[in-house]
Amino acid sequence: TIRYIGSSAKKLQVLEHNHRNASNIPGYSMTHFRRMLKENHGKEGTFRWLVKPFLCTLMEIEKMEGELIRKHMPEYNQDYHPEKSSEERGRYGDPKASELRYRGVYCFEV
């Protein structure tokens, strides 16, 4: 069962490490997903790519992420429209958002 969907420019092993160890990493916050991961799953569960990283903009990957979130409705996601949230927060106005970077959509499943 897919419990969470997100997007990242990080390698899969790095993002898994960061999520599982966020409480011990300075500057990382304990998001709803990270709290659920720590409280309910310990070391169990798998992180995998739903969309393997490819060269794209932040808007492009968040559009795919949002479509997959709405398709699978994972219980640990709180934002079902990440592309709208980024637009509202002005994230797409940042020059880095338009840079082509390798980004992918991942999931956590049990």
Side-chain angles (χ1 to χ4, degrees):
T1 303
I2 292 176
R3 300 286 174 95
Y4 181 79
I5 293 174
S7 62
S8 182
K10 297 191 182 307
K11 293 185 181 206
L12 200 58
Q13 297 90 336
V14 172
L15 71 90
E16 177 174 358
H17 175 270
N18 292 349
H19 280 305
R20 291 190 186 273
N21 298 289
S23 62
N24 300 319
I25 301 173
Y28 274 71
S29 60
M30 287 302 289
T31 62
H32 176 71
F33 167 57
R34 291 171 180 166
R35 282 193 310 275
M36 294 298 99
L37 182 62
K38 185 175 183 174
E39 292 171 13
N40 300 326
H41 301 288
K43 295 294 179 191
E44 78 172 357
T46 304
F47 285 78
R48 69 177 173 90
W49 293 116
L50 292 173
V51 176
K52 291 187 178 183
F54 68 102
L55 279 175
C56 61
T57 65
L58 181 62
M59 185 183 292
E60 289 169 328
I61 202 65
E62 286 187 341
K63 184 174 184 229
M64 288 182 180
E65 176 189 2
E67 289 170 358
L68 288 163
I69 289 170
R70 292 184 294 278
K71 175 182 178 185
H72 294 283
M73 301 298 286
E75 65 182 293
Y76 294 161
N77 281 81
Q78 291 188 306
D79 185 352
Y80 286 78
H81 297 273
E83 66 282 30
K84 288 182 183 177
S85 298
S86 284
E87 189 172 333
E88 289 169 2
R89 293 182 184 125
R91 290 180 71 199
Y92 298 143
D94 183 334
K96 290 183 180 181
S98 297
E99 290 177 2
L100 291 177
R101 294 183 62 192
Y102 281 93
R103 297 172 166 99
V105 179
Y106 66 92
C107 71
F108 170 75
E109 61 188 351
V110 180

